[in-house]
Amino acid sequence: MRPRYAASDVAIPFKPLLQRALLAVIVAFCIILLFSGRSSNGIANTVRTTLMDGIVPVLDVLSRPVQAVDEALVQVGDFFTVYSENQRLRLENQRLLEWQTAALKLEAENQGLRELMHYTPRENKAFVTAKVVGQTSNSLSQRLMIDAGRSQGVQAHQAVMTDHGLVGRVMAAGDSTAEILLLTDMNSRIPVMTEPTGVRSILAGNRSELPHLAFVGSRKDPKLGDVVVTSAEGDLFPAGLPVGKLFAESDGQWQVRPFVDFSSVRYVHIVTMEDEPVSGVPLAPAEPEALP
Amino acid sequence: MAVSAMDSYSRQFGLGALRSLPFIILLFLILLVGTLTISPGSPLPPLMLSWSYVYYWALFQPARLGNGALLLAGLVQDVVLGLPLGVSSLCFILMRLFVVQWRRRISLQHFWAIWLCFALMAGVVAVFMALFIGLSQRAMVPDLLVQSLYAGLLAWIIYPLVHLLCNRIYSIQS
């Protein structure tokens, strides 16, 4: 007797089912990545650093013509402003010479005082210099990509600066590349202190050019024009790295204008802290050396 | 015998390369546009050329750009543009899902109608992108939505060029 139904009539359509299951897995994977992105140890970090190590060398090669055109345009612009630039540099040179005299005098005085105190400074900061190969500075993200990573001693959470001041912190470090979170990014929180008023607070990014001070926890009030430097709260950053100046106060929030012009950052220094942070270094006199 | 086996392998390799051409070009576009927008000092805003590209292939040949390829391309775009990981992949997959639902109706229309439909898709995907970024950063900012919609608008403006490019690739493939 023949069966009533052929096997093909009752076969479950596996291919569409498999495709739907695969789609569900992919979407679930994306959602996991999305929500683990803020953690520096999560799966998102591993995927990001792995991809970055492969992509950054390609981006570096592709961006060379763009950078060459950019530099050529800057040079053409410089050609037309060379006279006014010369005048400005002359004035600046004169002003700097006056400052140099003052600095030499202060250095000698400082040296004398240190000798009196038998003070030995502990320098525990080291720098790794890296080239910026990518930069996004818009509302969607505010980050830099650099061509130095773990093999050069770069690690997550290290401070990143230029000659002018703090840029941000290392967010993720691959083998030979790293991603930097700018201090203006929404996710950036940096412990800082104002000078000379000594008010400690947190510098919070808000996607604008002017990050603000959050959690100003002091009875003293900061003053307009105060310099903002990093504090060593939580041993995250070394103390005293210049960040910016108090620019304005609106609705009880102090806005900070960073010293760094983020649009012109080409090279950065990553501060690789050694054994102990600068904070808490006692100003006690050094032990006299034992005689042989 | 050996020569014919070699021929067969090279033919299969050639066919494979031809099949994955849309994916390879998508990766190249992401890297190229990324380079232009993220080069230090570049004045260009984030440009979502990839949305136009994914829209075209989802409309005319969805099998050529599957969900796995979109996942990988999206991850690359996120790394290049510094977006939270997973955002671009979800946007690509969403766009593909929406377009595949209505592709029989849209693909037979005149170019202007296709372009108009892309405006709608880009708008929807831009809203989702802002939502995904906001969720991943636990903060919704109006500026984020404005920037996403702006990226969608730029993608819509540039769509005719992408359509032309994709037509060329399509003709090479067929």
Side-chain angles (χ1 to χ4, degrees):
Chain A
M1 193 176 166
R2 284 184 62 201
R4 201 166 167 187
Y5 299 107
S8 59
D9 292 338
V10 289
I12 303 162
F14 275 112
K15 203 178 170 188
L17 267 180
L18 199 69
Q19 280 176 341
R20 279 181 197 175
L22 185 68
L23 177 65
V25 169
I26 288 173
V27 170
F29 179 63
C30 289
I31 291 170
I32 290 168
L33 285 179
L34 206 62
F35 286 99
S36 70
R38 279 161 68 107
S39 155
S40 59
N41 302 316
I43 183 175
N45 191 50
T46 314
V47 174
R48 186 177 280 277
T49 51
T50 309
L51 282 171
M52 240 163 40
D53 282 337
I55 292 168
V56 167
V58 181
L59 282 179
D60 191 25
V61 171
L62 284 174
S63 67
R64 277 177 200 166
V66 181
Q67 282 174 10
V69 170
D70 185 45
E71 279 166 20
L73 287 173
V74 169
Q75 280 175 2
V76 170
D78 285 350
F79 181 74
F80 289 107
T81 57
V82 69
Y83 181 74
S84 58
E85 186 71 6
N86 191 27
Q87 292 292 321
R88 193 186 65 78
L89 286 172
R90 274 172 196 270
L91 286 171
E92 194 175 299
N93 193 29
Q94 201 176 346
R95 204 159 44 85
L96 286 174
L97 282 172
E98 285 165 17
W99 274 108
Q100 191 190 24
T101 314
L104 286 171
K105 198 176 144 192
L106 285 170
E107 192 188 8
E109 189 182 316
N110 198 12
Q111 187 65 34
L113 288 170
R114 280 183 175 183
E115 278 169 16
L116 276 175
M117 295 281 291
H118 299 288
Y119 172 66
T120 314
R122 294 187 196 181
E123 191 58 68
N124 63 350
K125 277 183 277 182
F127 295 96
V128 172
T129 302
K131 187 181 159 197
V132 175
V133 289
Q135 177 177 18
T136 53
S137 191
N138 52 59
S139 297
L140 300 179
S141 89
Q142 302 194 323
R143 295 165 199 215
L144 298 179
M145 262 191 274
I146 57 168
D147 66 350
R150 284 194 300 265
S151 49
Q152 285 83 22
V154 177
Q155 288 171 9
H157 307 305
Q158 285 172 337
V160 181
M161 37 187 323
T162 65
D163 296 338
H164 297 103
L166 191 75
V167 171
R169 67 177 164 87
V170 178
M171 202 179 134
D175 273 344
S176 55
T177 57
E179 193 173 36
I180 312 299
L181 188 74
L182 297 185
L183 57 88
T184 50
D185 189 279
M186 192 80 182
N187 293 314
S188 172
R189 298 285 183 276
I190 295 167
V192 292
M193 196 173 89
T194 59
E195 280 184 349
T197 45
V199 177
R200 287 171 188 271
S201 63
I202 301 287
L203 182 75
N206 49 17
R207 288 204 179 97
S208 78
E209 288 176 356
L210 303 170
H212 65 269
L213 294 184
F215 312 116
V216 182
S218 172
R219 288 182 183 172
K220 285 186 283 183
D221 281 331
K223 285 181 185 158
L224 209 66
D226 272 5
V227 172
V228 178
V229 296
T230 55
S231 73
E233 304 269 338
D235 290 346
L236 197 63
F237 286 175
L241 303 178
V243 177
K245 258 188 175 180
L246 284 190
F247 174 69
E249 188 194 12
S250 66
D251 302 331
Q253 269 193 345
W254 284 95
Q255 291 177 318
V256 178
R257 182 175 289 288
F259 288 131
V260 177
D261 174 12
F262 294 103
S263 64
S264 62
V265 177
R266 300 290 186 271
Y267 290 90
V268 290
H269 312 298
I270 299 101
V271 184
T272 54
M273 284 174 74
E274 286 165 7
D275 298 336
E276 50 185 315
V278 175
S279 69
V281 174
L283 285 172
E287 291 289 321
E289 282 182 350
L291 290 169
Chain B
M1 195 75 174
V3 173
S4 70
M6 284 283 283
D7 270 359
S8 161
Y9 281 132
S10 64
R11 198 174 299 136
Q12 278 181 0
F13 180 77
L15 271 173
L18 208 60
R19 275 171 175 269
S20 53
L21 196 62
F23 172 63
I24 293 166
I25 292 176
L26 175 61
L27 279 185
F28 180 72
L29 275 181
I30 287 170
L31 289 173
L32 189 71
V33 173
T35 306
L36 292 175
T37 51
I38 70 167
S39 288
S42 167
L44 288 176
L47 196 59
M48 296 299 174
L49 203 68
S50 48
W51 290 0
S52 321
Y53 191 85
V54 170
Y55 174 77
Y56 179 95
W57 287 101
L59 197 59
F60 296 106
Q61 273 283 7
R64 289 279 184 268
L65 214 51
N67 290 320
L70 292 181
L71 168 75
L72 191 59
L75 292 179
V76 170
Q77 176 160 296
D78 289 337
V79 171
V80 171
L81 296 181
L83 298 172
L85 224 52
V87 168
S88 296
S89 303
L90 282 173
C91 288
F92 289 165
I93 290 167
L94 260 180
M95 176 162 289
R96 188 176 185 275
L97 276 177
F98 286 145
V99 177
V100 166
Q101 292 292 319
W102 296 310
R103 64 181 287 258
R104 291 189 198 286
R105 287 185 191 172
I106 306 171
S107 61
L108 297 173
Q109 303 294 323
H110 194 266
F111 170 76
W112 298 106
I114 291 173
W115 194 16
L116 203 66
C117 283
F118 177 64
L120 186 71
M121 293 293 168
V124 171
V125 171
V127 171
F128 272 102
M129 185 169 87
L131 189 72
F132 292 144
I133 296 176
L135 278 174
S136 85
Q137 299 184 345
R138 278 85 157 168
M140 283 307 295
V141 194
D143 195 29
L144 198 61
L145 182 63
V146 173
Q147 190 80 43
S148 300
L149 286 171
Y150 181 54
L153 178 72
L154 290 178
W156 178 71
I157 291 171
I158 222 154
Y159 178 76
L161 284 176
V162 178
H163 190 93
L164 274 176
L165 170 77
C166 293
N167 272 345
R168 299 284 291 182
I169 302 167
Y170 194 98
S171 63
I172 291 169
Q173 281 210 312
S174 52

